[in-house]
Amino acid sequence: MLAAQSHIAAGLRFVVDLDLEKFFDRVNHDVLMARVARKVADKQVLRLIRRYLQAGLMTGGLVTARSEGTPQGGPLSPLLSNILLDDLDKELERRGHAFCRYADDCNIYVRSRRAGERVMASITRFLTERLRLTVNAAKSAVDRPWKRSFLGYTVTAHLQPRLRVAPRSVERLRDKLRAAFREGRGRSMAHTIKDLIPVLRGWINYFQLAQVKGTFEDFDGWLRRKMRCILWRQWKRPRTRATKLRQRGLEEARARQSASNGRGPWWNAGASHMNDAFRKAYFDKLGLISLLEQHRRLQHAA
């Protein structure tokens, strides 16, 4: 991602975002084995790789022969994909293009939309004719880099662009956590937070290169609001809610009025009475990590 950032800062303000259609399902075995044979001379190893590629595929309880593609999740598949797509790397280098590729994700950086459309057309032909791969026209595009994402990141639209987390990456994390929140309605808050910690730590470790911190601050606020929403749902009755709010330091009249306002859990989770009763320090004590604080620690450690 840092290489992509430097390409954009150098004036390459358009990106050819290539998406290979069902890459791991569509790899041609003969084309792949021809590339592997350039690197491996041992015929026994080549036969073993061929057998690995042709291993049966379990579908509906029945084993069917595999005539194309590589086993999904297999430890050898990423290596084989890089061997196949090495031809693409060499072709882009030969043409003098600035590009970034990771497995089947590839971005090529150019100075204008017209140049990008030319590159898109010529590289699509190369992939089709030389490697027998299909470019997904619906997901591929020539656009501004800040309107596309690469490996979960995107950039700001500044002259000196800054890395930030792509909105789709944030939404995917929210979707993943919503299942844990639904389960958390019948469990203690500490138990729910314990389940969230590994997911949050893994996510922020991956996105530690991001330079725009507002994403983490906004997510922290959303996460704490979801926690307050769980609490509000667990209390169920106005009398219980009033009691809990008084226990957290709210005056009796305010607690009673807030508990019987007739609003839904999400509204109450963002209202002042729940924010005053359950501040950040409460969740910190339970072990809930702050993405913003974790990001700062990772930046200082680097």
PDB file of all heavy atoms in Angstrom, residues 24-59:
ATOM      1  N   PHE A  24      -9.332 -18.297  -8.641  1.00  0.00           N
ATOM      2  CA  PHE A  24      -8.906 -19.598  -8.127  1.00  0.00           C
ATOM      3  C   PHE A  24      -9.788 -20.744  -8.636  1.00  0.00           C
ATOM      4  O   PHE A  24      -9.400 -21.906  -8.547  1.00  0.00           O
ATOM      5  CB  PHE A  24      -8.878 -19.585  -6.600  1.00  0.00           C
ATOM      6  CG  PHE A  24      -7.743 -18.776  -6.036  1.00  0.00           C
ATOM      7  CD1 PHE A  24      -7.946 -17.480  -5.590  1.00  0.00           C
ATOM      8  CD2 PHE A  24      -6.462 -19.300  -5.974  1.00  0.00           C
ATOM      9  CE1 PHE A  24      -6.889 -16.730  -5.075  1.00  0.00           C
ATOM     10  CE2 PHE A  24      -5.407 -18.562  -5.459  1.00  0.00           C
ATOM     11  CZ  PHE A  24      -5.619 -17.271  -5.020  1.00  0.00           C
ATOM     12  N   ASP A  25     -10.965 -20.410  -9.180  1.00  0.00           N
ATOM     13  CA  ASP A  25     -11.835 -21.448  -9.746  1.00  0.00           C
ATOM     14  C   ASP A  25     -11.591 -21.657 -11.237  1.00  0.00           C
ATOM     15  O   ASP A  25     -12.001 -22.676 -11.787  1.00  0.00           O
ATOM     16  CB  ASP A  25     -13.310 -21.075  -9.545  1.00  0.00           C
ATOM     17  CG  ASP A  25     -13.705 -21.080  -8.082  1.00  0.00           C
ATOM     18  OD1 ASP A  25     -13.103 -21.855  -7.317  1.00  0.00           O
ATOM     19  OD2 ASP A  25     -14.601 -20.307  -7.702  1.00  0.00           O
ATOM     20  N   ARG A  26     -10.934 -20.676 -11.902  1.00  0.00           N
ATOM     21  CA  ARG A  26     -10.832 -20.718 -13.360  1.00  0.00           C
ATOM     22  C   ARG A  26      -9.422 -20.940 -13.899  1.00  0.00           C
ATOM     23  O   ARG A  26      -9.217 -20.924 -15.108  1.00  0.00           O
ATOM     24  CB  ARG A  26     -11.373 -19.398 -13.929  1.00  0.00           C
ATOM     25  CG  ARG A  26     -12.844 -19.128 -13.609  1.00  0.00           C
ATOM     26  CD  ARG A  26     -13.771 -19.980 -14.456  1.00  0.00           C
ATOM     27  NE  ARG A  26     -15.164 -19.760 -14.152  1.00  0.00           N
ATOM     28  CZ  ARG A  26     -15.894 -18.751 -14.633  1.00  0.00           C
ATOM     29  NH1 ARG A  26     -15.331 -17.860 -15.432  1.00  0.00           N
ATOM     30  NH2 ARG A  26     -17.175 -18.645 -14.317  1.00  0.00           N
ATOM     31  N   VAL A  27      -8.444 -21.107 -13.027  1.00  0.00           N
ATOM     32  CA  VAL A  27      -7.064 -21.280 -13.491  1.00  0.00           C
ATOM     33  C   VAL A  27      -6.971 -22.509 -14.400  1.00  0.00           C
ATOM     34  O   VAL A  27      -7.408 -23.602 -14.041  1.00  0.00           O
ATOM     35  CB  VAL A  27      -6.103 -21.434 -12.290  1.00  0.00           C
ATOM     36  CG1 VAL A  27      -4.721 -21.869 -12.759  1.00  0.00           C
ATOM     37  CG2 VAL A  27      -6.014 -20.127 -11.522  1.00  0.00           C
ATOM     38  N   ASN A  28      -6.384 -22.310 -15.590  1.00  0.00           N
ATOM     39  CA  ASN A  28      -6.194 -23.412 -16.526  1.00  0.00           C
ATOM     40  C   ASN A  28      -5.003 -24.267 -16.095  1.00  0.00           C
ATOM     41  O   ASN A  28      -3.901 -23.762 -15.941  1.00  0.00           O
ATOM     42  CB  ASN A  28      -5.971 -22.846 -17.940  1.00  0.00           C
ATOM     43  CG  ASN A  28      -5.852 -23.925 -18.980  1.00  0.00           C
ATOM     44  OD1 ASN A  28      -4.806 -24.572 -19.110  1.00  0.00           O
ATOM     45  ND2 ASN A  28      -6.920 -24.122 -19.738  1.00  0.00           N
ATOM     46  N   HIS A  29      -5.219 -25.553 -15.897  1.00  0.00           N
ATOM     47  CA  HIS A  29      -4.172 -26.436 -15.383  1.00  0.00           C
ATOM     48  C   HIS A  29      -2.977 -26.536 -16.325  1.00  0.00           C
ATOM     49  O   HIS A  29      -1.820 -26.528 -15.876  1.00  0.00           O
ATOM     50  CB  HIS A  29      -4.738 -27.830 -15.112  1.00  0.00           C
ATOM     51  CG  HIS A  29      -5.653 -27.874 -13.933  1.00  0.00           C
ATOM     52  ND1 HIS A  29      -6.347 -29.005 -13.562  1.00  0.00           N
ATOM     53  CD2 HIS A  29      -5.987 -26.919 -13.017  1.00  0.00           C
ATOM     54  CE1 HIS A  29      -7.064 -28.751 -12.475  1.00  0.00           C
ATOM     55  NE2 HIS A  29      -6.864 -27.488 -12.137  1.00  0.00           N
ATOM     56  N   ASP A  30      -3.227 -26.633 -17.630  1.00  0.00           N
ATOM     57  CA  ASP A  30      -2.119 -26.776 -18.583  1.00  0.00           C
ATOM     58  C   ASP A  30      -1.249 -25.521 -18.615  1.00  0.00           C
ATOM     59  O   ASP A  30      -0.018 -25.611 -18.643  1.00  0.00           O
ATOM     60  CB  ASP A  30      -2.664 -27.080 -19.981  1.00  0.00           C
ATOM     61  CG  ASP A  30      -3.326 -28.446 -20.066  1.00  0.00           C
ATOM     62  OD1 ASP A  30      -2.939 -29.319 -19.260  1.00  0.00           O
ATOM     63  OD2 ASP A  30      -4.217 -28.638 -20.912  1.00  0.00           O
ATOM     64  N   VAL A  31      -1.899 -24.355 -18.616  1.00  0.00           N
ATOM     65  CA  VAL A  31      -1.148 -23.098 -18.626  1.00  0.00           C
ATOM     66  C   VAL A  31      -0.338 -22.972 -17.336  1.00  0.00           C
ATOM     67  O   VAL A  31       0.840 -22.594 -17.355  1.00  0.00           O
ATOM     68  CB  VAL A  31      -2.103 -21.896 -18.782  1.00  0.00           C
ATOM     69  CG1 VAL A  31      -1.344 -20.581 -18.635  1.00  0.00           C
ATOM     70  CG2 VAL A  31      -2.803 -21.947 -20.130  1.00  0.00           C
ATOM     71  N   LEU A  32      -0.953 -23.309 -16.205  1.00  0.00           N
ATOM     72  CA  LEU A  32      -0.265 -23.207 -14.925  1.00  0.00           C
ATOM     73  C   LEU A  32       0.919 -24.171 -14.853  1.00  0.00           C
ATOM     74  O   LEU A  32       2.018 -23.781 -14.454  1.00  0.00           O
ATOM     75  CB  LEU A  32      -1.245 -23.492 -13.781  1.00  0.00           C
ATOM     76  CG  LEU A  32      -0.662 -23.567 -12.367  1.00  0.00           C
ATOM     77  CD1 LEU A  32       0.082 -22.289 -12.009  1.00  0.00           C
ATOM     78  CD2 LEU A  32      -1.758 -23.849 -11.338  1.00  0.00           C
ATOM     79  N   MET A  33       0.715 -25.421 -15.242  1.00  0.00           N
ATOM     80  CA  MET A  33       1.789 -26.408 -15.165  1.00  0.00           C
ATOM     81  C   MET A  33       2.946 -26.060 -16.097  1.00  0.00           C
ATOM     82  O   MET A  33       4.114 -26.355 -15.793  1.00  0.00           O
ATOM     83  CB  MET A  33       1.247 -27.799 -15.486  1.00  0.00           C
ATOM     84  CG  MET A  33       0.345 -28.392 -14.411  1.00  0.00           C
ATOM     85  SD  MET A  33       1.086 -28.412 -12.756  1.00  0.00           S
ATOM     86  CE  MET A  33       2.559 -29.410 -13.034  1.00  0.00           C
ATOM     87  N   ALA A  34       2.662 -25.417 -17.216  1.00  0.00           N
ATOM     88  CA  ALA A  34       3.740 -24.987 -18.112  1.00  0.00           C
ATOM     89  C   ALA A  34       4.618 -23.948 -17.423  1.00  0.00           C
ATOM     90  O   ALA A  34       5.850 -23.956 -17.577  1.00  0.00           O
ATOM     91  CB  ALA A  34       3.150 -24.415 -19.400  1.00  0.00           C
ATOM     92  N   ARG A  35       3.991 -23.057 -16.634  1.00  0.00           N
ATOM     93  CA  ARG A  35       4.770 -22.044 -15.898  1.00  0.00           C
ATOM     94  C   ARG A  35       5.540 -22.690 -14.743  1.00  0.00           C
ATOM     95  O   ARG A  35       6.683 -22.315 -14.469  1.00  0.00           O
ATOM     96  CB  ARG A  35       3.844 -20.965 -15.342  1.00  0.00           C
ATOM     97  CG  ARG A  35       3.620 -19.767 -16.256  1.00  0.00           C
ATOM     98  CD  ARG A  35       2.890 -20.134 -17.493  1.00  0.00           C
ATOM     99  NE  ARG A  35       2.757 -19.025 -18.426  1.00  0.00           N
ATOM    100  CZ  ARG A  35       2.206 -19.162 -19.619  1.00  0.00           C
ATOM    101  NH1 ARG A  35       1.759 -20.336 -20.021  1.00  0.00           N
ATOM    102  NH2 ARG A  35       2.121 -18.123 -20.433  1.00  0.00           N
ATOM    103  N   VAL A  36       4.911 -23.663 -14.067  1.00  0.00           N
ATOM    104  CA  VAL A  36       5.590 -24.337 -12.961  1.00  0.00           C
ATOM    105  C   VAL A  36       6.802 -25.111 -13.481  1.00  0.00           C
ATOM    106  O   VAL A  36       7.862 -25.138 -12.842  1.00  0.00           O
ATOM    107  CB  VAL A  36       4.617 -25.284 -12.226  1.00  0.00           C
ATOM    108  CG1 VAL A  36       5.352 -26.090 -11.158  1.00  0.00           C
ATOM    109  CG2 VAL A  36       3.479 -24.490 -11.581  1.00  0.00           C
ATOM    110  N   ALA A  37       6.665 -25.705 -14.649  1.00  0.00           N
ATOM    111  CA  ALA A  37       7.758 -26.498 -15.233  1.00  0.00           C
ATOM    112  C   ALA A  37       8.979 -25.647 -15.547  1.00  0.00           C
ATOM    113  O   ALA A  37      10.099 -26.165 -15.637  1.00  0.00           O
ATOM    114  CB  ALA A  37       7.270 -27.203 -16.499  1.00  0.00           C
ATOM    115  N   ARG A  38       8.787 -24.333 -15.707  1.00  0.00           N
ATOM    116  CA  ARG A  38       9.939 -23.443 -15.926  1.00  0.00           C
ATOM    117  C   ARG A  38      10.786 -23.335 -14.657  1.00  0.00           C
ATOM    118  O   ARG A  38      11.988 -23.064 -14.734  1.00  0.00           O
ATOM    119  CB  ARG A  38       9.459 -22.043 -16.313  1.00  0.00           C
ATOM    120  CG  ARG A  38       8.693 -21.951 -17.622  1.00  0.00           C
ATOM    121  CD  ARG A  38       8.181 -20.524 -17.788  1.00  0.00           C
ATOM    122  NE  ARG A  38       7.320 -20.359 -18.945  1.00  0.00           N
ATOM    123  CZ  ARG A  38       6.645 -19.239 -19.206  1.00  0.00           C
ATOM    124  NH1 ARG A  38       6.740 -18.202 -18.358  1.00  0.00           N
ATOM    125  NH2 ARG A  38       5.891 -19.155 -20.277  1.00  0.00           N
ATOM    126  N   LYS A  39      10.133 -23.515 -13.496  1.00  0.00           N
ATOM    127  CA  LYS A  39      10.827 -23.349 -12.221  1.00  0.00           C
ATOM    128  C   LYS A  39      11.248 -24.685 -11.609  1.00  0.00           C
ATOM    129  O   LYS A  39      12.199 -24.730 -10.827  1.00  0.00           O
ATOM    130  CB  LYS A  39       9.891 -22.630 -11.219  1.00  0.00           C
ATOM    131  CG  LYS A  39       9.237 -21.365 -11.747  1.00  0.00           C
ATOM    132  CD  LYS A  39      10.204 -20.215 -11.817  1.00  0.00           C
ATOM    133  CE  LYS A  39       9.487 -18.929 -12.228  1.00  0.00           C
ATOM    134  NZ  LYS A  39      10.432 -17.793 -12.329  1.00  0.00           N
ATOM    135  N   VAL A  40      10.521 -25.757 -11.921  1.00  0.00           N
ATOM    136  CA  VAL A  40      10.736 -27.057 -11.282  1.00  0.00           C
ATOM    137  C   VAL A  40      11.117 -28.083 -12.345  1.00  0.00           C
ATOM    138  O   VAL A  40      10.367 -28.287 -13.314  1.00  0.00           O
ATOM    139  CB  VAL A  40       9.464 -27.517 -10.528  1.00  0.00           C
ATOM    140  CG1 VAL A  40       9.691 -28.879  -9.892  1.00  0.00           C
ATOM    141  CG2 VAL A  40       9.062 -26.488  -9.474  1.00  0.00           C
ATOM    142  N   ALA A  41      12.256 -28.747 -12.155  1.00  0.00           N
ATOM    143  CA  ALA A  41      12.720 -29.734 -13.130  1.00  0.00           C
ATOM    144  C   ALA A  41      12.353 -31.156 -12.727  1.00  0.00           C
ATOM    145  O   ALA A  41      12.302 -32.058 -13.580  1.00  0.00           O
ATOM    146  CB  ALA A  41      14.239 -29.628 -13.311  1.00  0.00           C
ATOM    147  N   ASP A  42      12.102 -31.376 -11.448  1.00  0.00           N
ATOM    148  CA  ASP A  42      11.813 -32.718 -10.944  1.00  0.00           C
ATOM    149  C   ASP A  42      10.427 -33.175 -11.417  1.00  0.00           C
ATOM    150  O   ASP A  42       9.405 -32.609 -11.044  1.00  0.00           O
ATOM    151  CB  ASP A  42      11.866 -32.699  -9.409  1.00  0.00           C
ATOM    152  CG  ASP A  42      11.867 -34.100  -8.814  1.00  0.00           C
ATOM    153  OD1 ASP A  42      11.077 -34.935  -9.282  1.00  0.00           O
ATOM    154  OD2 ASP A  42      12.646 -34.333  -7.877  1.00  0.00           O
ATOM    155  N   LYS A  43      10.384 -34.253 -12.218  1.00  0.00           N
ATOM    156  CA  LYS A  43       9.129 -34.713 -12.799  1.00  0.00           C
ATOM    157  C   LYS A  43       8.184 -35.285 -11.743  1.00  0.00           C
ATOM    158  O   LYS A  43       6.963 -35.190 -11.870  1.00  0.00           O
ATOM    159  CB  LYS A  43       9.412 -35.765 -13.867  1.00  0.00           C
ATOM    160  CG  LYS A  43      10.095 -35.182 -15.101  1.00  0.00           C
ATOM    161  CD  LYS A  43      10.272 -36.223 -16.187  1.00  0.00           C
ATOM    162  CE  LYS A  43      10.937 -35.614 -17.421  1.00  0.00           C
ATOM    163  NZ  LYS A  43      11.125 -36.610 -18.503  1.00  0.00           N
ATOM    164  N   GLN A  44       8.749 -35.866 -10.691  1.00  0.00           N
ATOM    165  CA  GLN A  44       7.895 -36.397  -9.626  1.00  0.00           C
ATOM    166  C   GLN A  44       7.154 -35.267  -8.903  1.00  0.00           C
ATOM    167  O   GLN A  44       5.982 -35.406  -8.553  1.00  0.00           O
ATOM    168  CB  GLN A  44       8.729 -37.203  -8.632  1.00  0.00           C
ATOM    169  CG  GLN A  44       9.207 -38.544  -9.171  1.00  0.00           C
ATOM    170  CD  GLN A  44       9.905 -39.380  -8.104  1.00  0.00           C
ATOM    171  OE1 GLN A  44      10.372 -38.833  -7.099  1.00  0.00           O
ATOM    172  NE2 GLN A  44       9.962 -40.680  -8.319  1.00  0.00           N
ATOM    173  N   VAL A  45       7.860 -34.165  -8.683  1.00  0.00           N
ATOM    174  CA  VAL A  45       7.225 -33.007  -8.045  1.00  0.00           C
ATOM    175  C   VAL A  45       6.131 -32.445  -8.952  1.00  0.00           C
ATOM    176  O   VAL A  45       5.034 -32.094  -8.492  1.00  0.00           O
ATOM    177  CB  VAL A  45       8.271 -31.920  -7.715  1.00  0.00           C
ATOM    178  CG1 VAL A  45       7.583 -30.657  -7.203  1.00  0.00           C
ATOM    179  CG2 VAL A  45       9.259 -32.426  -6.680  1.00  0.00           C
ATOM    180  N   LEU A  46       6.411 -32.395 -10.243  1.00  0.00           N
ATOM    181  CA  LEU A  46       5.418 -31.888 -11.193  1.00  0.00           C
ATOM    182  C   LEU A  46       4.172 -32.780 -11.210  1.00  0.00           C
ATOM    183  O   LEU A  46       3.045 -32.277 -11.256  1.00  0.00           O
ATOM    184  CB  LEU A  46       6.024 -31.794 -12.598  1.00  0.00           C
ATOM    185  CG  LEU A  46       7.109 -30.722 -12.777  1.00  0.00           C
ATOM    186  CD1 LEU A  46       7.739 -30.835 -14.156  1.00  0.00           C
ATOM    187  CD2 LEU A  46       6.537 -29.328 -12.568  1.00  0.00           C
ATOM    188  N   ARG A  47       4.373 -34.092 -11.173  1.00  0.00           N
ATOM    189  CA  ARG A  47       3.232 -35.003 -11.144  1.00  0.00           C
ATOM    190  C   ARG A  47       2.422 -34.834  -9.855  1.00  0.00           C
ATOM    191  O   ARG A  47       1.182 -34.885  -9.865  1.00  0.00           O
ATOM    192  CB  ARG A  47       3.722 -36.455 -11.264  1.00  0.00           C
ATOM    193  CG  ARG A  47       4.026 -36.881 -12.703  1.00  0.00           C
ATOM    194  CD  ARG A  47       4.098 -38.406 -12.818  1.00  0.00           C
ATOM    195  NE  ARG A  47       5.181 -38.954 -12.014  1.00  0.00           N
ATOM    196  CZ  ARG A  47       6.423 -39.150 -12.470  1.00  0.00           C
ATOM    197  NH1 ARG A  47       6.739 -38.811 -13.723  1.00  0.00           N
ATOM    198  NH2 ARG A  47       7.352 -39.663 -11.681  1.00  0.00           N
ATOM    199  N   LEU A  48       3.132 -34.614  -8.754  1.00  0.00           N
ATOM    200  CA  LEU A  48       2.447 -34.417  -7.471  1.00  0.00           C
ATOM    201  C   LEU A  48       1.608 -33.138  -7.494  1.00  0.00           C
ATOM    202  O   LEU A  48       0.464 -33.120  -7.008  1.00  0.00           O
ATOM    203  CB  LEU A  48       3.478 -34.349  -6.336  1.00  0.00           C
ATOM    204  CG  LEU A  48       2.928 -34.228  -4.913  1.00  0.00           C
ATOM    205  CD1 LEU A  48       2.065 -35.444  -4.573  1.00  0.00           C
ATOM    206  CD2 LEU A  48       4.065 -34.084  -3.914  1.00  0.00           C
ATOM    207  N   ILE A  49       2.144 -32.072  -8.080  1.00  0.00           N
ATOM    208  CA  ILE A  49       1.393 -30.814  -8.176  1.00  0.00           C
ATOM    209  C   ILE A  49       0.172 -30.989  -9.070  1.00  0.00           C
ATOM    210  O   ILE A  49      -0.921 -30.505  -8.761  1.00  0.00           O
ATOM    211  CB  ILE A  49       2.302 -29.681  -8.700  1.00  0.00           C
ATOM    212  CG1 ILE A  49       3.402 -29.375  -7.673  1.00  0.00           C
ATOM    213  CG2 ILE A  49       1.492 -28.427  -8.997  1.00  0.00           C
ATOM    214  CD1 ILE A  49       4.434 -28.379  -8.155  1.00  0.00           C
ATOM    215  N   ARG A  50       0.345 -31.711 -10.183  1.00  0.00           N
ATOM    216  CA  ARG A  50      -0.779 -31.968 -11.089  1.00  0.00           C
ATOM    217  C   ARG A  50      -1.883 -32.749 -10.353  1.00  0.00           C
ATOM    218  O   ARG A  50      -3.073 -32.439 -10.495  1.00  0.00           O
ATOM    219  CB  ARG A  50      -0.286 -32.749 -12.302  1.00  0.00           C
ATOM    220  CG  ARG A  50      -1.381 -33.248 -13.223  1.00  0.00           C
ATOM    221  CD  ARG A  50      -1.977 -32.149 -14.086  1.00  0.00           C
ATOM    222  NE  ARG A  50      -1.087 -31.770 -15.161  1.00  0.00           N
ATOM    223  CZ  ARG A  50      -1.479 -31.021 -16.202  1.00  0.00           C
ATOM    224  NH1 ARG A  50      -2.727 -30.575 -16.271  1.00  0.00           N
ATOM    225  NH2 ARG A  50      -0.619 -30.669 -17.145  1.00  0.00           N
ATOM    226  N   ARG A  51      -1.497 -33.737  -9.580  1.00  0.00           N
ATOM    227  CA  ARG A  51      -2.483 -34.504  -8.817  1.00  0.00           C
ATOM    228  C   ARG A  51      -3.175 -33.629  -7.772  1.00  0.00           C
ATOM    229  O   ARG A  51      -4.374 -33.782  -7.503  1.00  0.00           O
ATOM    230  CB  ARG A  51      -1.805 -35.698  -8.143  1.00  0.00           C
ATOM    231  CG  ARG A  51      -1.374 -36.787  -9.129  1.00  0.00           C
ATOM    232  CD  ARG A  51      -0.612 -37.885  -8.427  1.00  0.00           C
ATOM    233  NE  ARG A  51      -1.454 -38.565  -7.435  1.00  0.00           N
ATOM    234  CZ  ARG A  51      -0.995 -39.513  -6.615  1.00  0.00           C
ATOM    235  NH1 ARG A  51       0.303 -39.852  -6.661  1.00  0.00           N
ATOM    236  NH2 ARG A  51      -1.796 -40.092  -5.758  1.00  0.00           N
ATOM    237  N   TYR A  52      -2.421 -32.726  -7.168  1.00  0.00           N
ATOM    238  CA  TYR A  52      -3.001 -31.781  -6.204  1.00  0.00           C
ATOM    239  C   TYR A  52      -4.071 -30.926  -6.889  1.00  0.00           C
ATOM    240  O   TYR A  52      -5.157 -30.701  -6.344  1.00  0.00           O
ATOM    241  CB  TYR A  52      -1.889 -30.903  -5.634  1.00  0.00           C
ATOM    242  CG  TYR A  52      -2.346 -29.683  -4.867  1.00  0.00           C
ATOM    243  CD1 TYR A  52      -2.762 -29.773  -3.545  1.00  0.00           C
ATOM    244  CD2 TYR A  52      -2.344 -28.419  -5.467  1.00  0.00           C
ATOM    245  CE1 TYR A  52      -3.167 -28.658  -2.838  1.00  0.00           C
ATOM    246  CE2 TYR A  52      -2.747 -27.293  -4.777  1.00  0.00           C
ATOM    247  CZ  TYR A  52      -3.159 -27.416  -3.459  1.00  0.00           C
ATOM    248  OH  TYR A  52      -3.561 -26.294  -2.766  1.00  0.00           O
ATOM    249  N   LEU A  53      -3.776 -30.448  -8.103  1.00  0.00           N
ATOM    250  CA  LEU A  53      -4.718 -29.609  -8.827  1.00  0.00           C
ATOM    251  C   LEU A  53      -5.972 -30.380  -9.228  1.00  0.00           C
ATOM    252  O   LEU A  53      -7.075 -29.827  -9.252  1.00  0.00           O
ATOM    253  CB  LEU A  53      -4.057 -29.021 -10.075  1.00  0.00           C
ATOM    254  CG  LEU A  53      -2.946 -27.994  -9.844  1.00  0.00           C
ATOM    255  CD1 LEU A  53      -2.273 -27.627 -11.154  1.00  0.00           C
ATOM    256  CD2 LEU A  53      -3.485 -26.742  -9.167  1.00  0.00           C
ATOM    257  N   GLN A  54      -5.804 -31.650  -9.545  1.00  0.00           N
ATOM    258  CA  GLN A  54      -6.919 -32.455 -10.044  1.00  0.00           C
ATOM    259  C   GLN A  54      -7.641 -33.232  -8.935  1.00  0.00           C
ATOM    260  O   GLN A  54      -8.503 -34.048  -9.229  1.00  0.00           O
ATOM    261  CB  GLN A  54      -6.404 -33.433 -11.107  1.00  0.00           C
ATOM    262  CG  GLN A  54      -5.879 -32.730 -12.356  1.00  0.00           C
ATOM    263  CD  GLN A  54      -5.292 -33.689 -13.366  1.00  0.00           C
ATOM    264  OE1 GLN A  54      -4.891 -34.807 -13.023  1.00  0.00           O
ATOM    265  NE2 GLN A  54      -5.228 -33.260 -14.628  1.00  0.00           N
ATOM    266  N   ALA A  55      -7.274 -32.960  -7.693  1.00  0.00           N
ATOM    267  CA  ALA A  55      -7.945 -33.638  -6.572  1.00  0.00           C
ATOM    268  C   ALA A  55      -9.448 -33.414  -6.650  1.00  0.00           C
ATOM    269  O   ALA A  55      -9.925 -32.336  -7.023  1.00  0.00           O
ATOM    270  CB  ALA A  55      -7.397 -33.120  -5.244  1.00  0.00           C
ATOM    271  N   GLY A  56     -10.226 -34.452  -6.313  1.00  0.00           N
ATOM    272  CA  GLY A  56     -11.676 -34.379  -6.434  1.00  0.00           C
ATOM    273  C   GLY A  56     -12.285 -33.259  -5.611  1.00  0.00           C
ATOM    274  O   GLY A  56     -11.770 -32.878  -4.555  1.00  0.00           O
ATOM    275  N   LEU A  57     -13.400 -32.742  -6.102  1.00  0.00           N
ATOM    276  CA  LEU A  57     -14.124 -31.660  -5.441  1.00  0.00           C
ATOM    277  C   LEU A  57     -15.423 -32.216  -4.873  1.00  0.00           C
ATOM    278  O   LEU A  57     -16.214 -32.828  -5.598  1.00  0.00           O
ATOM    279  CB  LEU A  57     -14.421 -30.534  -6.439  1.00  0.00           C
ATOM    280  CG  LEU A  57     -15.163 -29.315  -5.918  1.00  0.00           C
ATOM    281  CD1 LEU A  57     -14.303 -28.559  -4.913  1.00  0.00           C
ATOM    282  CD2 LEU A  57     -15.541 -28.398  -7.072  1.00  0.00           C
ATOM    283  N   MET A  58     -15.632 -32.054  -3.568  1.00  0.00           N
ATOM    284  CA  MET A  58     -16.833 -32.566  -2.913  1.00  0.00           C
ATOM    285  C   MET A  58     -17.980 -31.586  -3.120  1.00  0.00           C
ATOM    286  O   MET A  58     -17.916 -30.432  -2.698  1.00  0.00           O
ATOM    287  CB  MET A  58     -16.585 -32.758  -1.418  1.00  0.00           C
ATOM    288  CG  MET A  58     -17.765 -33.332  -0.670  1.00  0.00           C
ATOM    289  SD  MET A  58     -18.018 -35.078  -0.998  1.00  0.00           S
ATOM    290  CE  MET A  58     -16.671 -35.801  -0.052  1.00  0.00           C
ATOM    291  N   THR A  59     -19.034 -32.052  -3.812  1.00  0.00           N
ATOM    292  CA  THR A  59     -20.213 -31.224  -4.065  1.00  0.00           C
ATOM    293  C   THR A  59     -21.460 -32.030  -3.742  1.00  0.00           C
ATOM    294  O   THR A  59     -21.723 -33.043  -4.394  1.00  0.00           O
ATOM    295  CB  THR A  59     -20.252 -30.764  -5.539  1.00  0.00           C
ATOM    296  OG1 THR A  59     -19.023 -30.130  -5.875  1.00  0.00           O
ATOM    297  CG2 THR A  59     -21.414 -29.801  -5.766  1.00  0.00           C
TER     298      THR A  59
END
